[in-house]
Amino acid sequence: MKESARFISPVLFFLVALCFFLPFVSFTCQEQKIATVTGMELVTGTKIEKFQMQKFNPETDDSELTKQNELNSEPMAIAAFIFAILGIVVSLNLRYSKILSVVSAALGILMLLFLRSSLGKQITGDFDFRIVEISYEWGYYLAIIFFAAVFGLNLYKIIAENKAVPANIDEIAGAGLIKCADCGHMNSEGSIFCSKCGHTLNL
């Protein structure tokens, strides 16, 4: 059971990476969907279909239109994808897998959240087309959910292990002591009589 449980984190990180091949972001203009791009297209950069900007700005020439259709690679999307791949690797590290998985997942979530503002600035900046609206697709939200699942799972494991440490210390501390059958007092090894009640100890 434990052997199979340790593969949960790598699988969840792998699912995050797969989410980047799903629809991530959609662009709409006056309630009409112009284009949908995947997370991987945000990582590598892509060209978006023409926005048919002439009907909004007839003076825009073809060269300017082509320039405005270029969607550059997003650093935040790149970072989030790297943390997903990195998470697969570090979660297989038996010694530090939990803490490294928590860190990778937390940073991955932050990168995806920062992506929203970063992508918005590119659209209104590089595109200079302020009536374009951005909506996030199910691939984006699934990536956040899987990142959050890894974060919560490993954080729970860390907390559970830390709670178990005092009990283990008590067990170690109690090794070699003799418990009095009469009063329950723990006496040092080699004692014949209980130091608390004087009862003869069963050696």
Side-chain angles (χ1 to χ4, degrees):
M1 184 67 179
K2 288 184 178 180
E3 187 67 20
S4 60
R6 76 184 185 93
F7 290 105
I8 295 177
S9 292
V11 168
L12 288 173
F13 276 120
F14 179 72
L15 291 175
V16 173
L18 284 183
C19 288
F20 277 79
F21 295 90
L22 301 175
F24 235 62
V25 181
S26 291
F27 302 98
T28 58
C29 179
Q30 293 188 348
E31 299 183 357
Q32 180 181 357
K33 185 175 287 189
I34 299 165
T36 300
V37 297
T38 64
M40 190 53 61
E41 287 175 323
L42 291 177
V43 170
T44 60
T46 186
K47 284 187 177 182
I48 296 179
E49 294 295 328
K50 291 184 178 181
F51 285 169
Q52 298 179 354
M53 294 172 63
Q54 289 93 336
K55 66 180 180 180
F56 303 106
N57 187 4
E59 297 179 358
T60 304
D61 59 25
D62 290 338
S63 61
E64 184 67 18
L65 185 61
T66 303
K67 178 182 177 183
Q68 291 173 335
N69 286 338
E70 189 77 26
L71 182 63
N72 299 325
S73 59
E74 271 294 327
M76 297 302 171
I78 295 172
F81 184 72
I82 289 174
F83 283 125
I85 300 300
L86 187 63
I88 298 174
V89 177
V90 300
S91 59
L92 293 173
N93 185 327
L94 295 179
R95 188 173 183 183
Y96 301 109
S97 62
K98 297 178 187 66
I99 185 66
L100 292 177
S101 294
V102 167
V103 172
S104 297
L107 291 174
I109 292 172
L110 286 176
M111 294 304 104
L112 289 178
L113 294 177
F114 288 151
L115 174 65
R116 300 177 77 96
S117 60
S118 176
L119 188 59
K121 288 178 181 178
Q122 181 179 162
I123 294 300
T124 58
D126 294 349
F127 284 73
D128 193 23
F129 195 51
R130 300 181 183 279
I131 60 176
V132 174
E133 296 180 357
I134 305 171
S135 57
Y136 292 85
E137 298 289 336
W138 53 290
Y140 172 84
Y141 291 109
L142 277 178
I144 292 180
I145 289 171
F146 287 133
F147 265 138
V150 179
F151 179 84
L153 174 66
N154 287 279
L155 187 61
Y156 171 79
K157 287 181 179 179
I158 292 172
I159 294 173
E161 286 180 358
N162 288 338
K163 286 183 177 179
V165 169
N168 294 334
I169 292 176
D170 290 340
E171 290 176 4
I172 294 171
L177 298 180
I178 303 172
K179 184 178 181 180
C180 176
D182 190 50
C183 68
H185 180 69
M186 302 299 293
N187 297 273
S188 59
E189 187 175 9
S191 299
I192 299 175
F193 301 99
C194 177
S195 60
K196 184 176 181 181
C197 68
H199 188 269
T200 304
L201 300 175
N202 297 322
L203 302 178

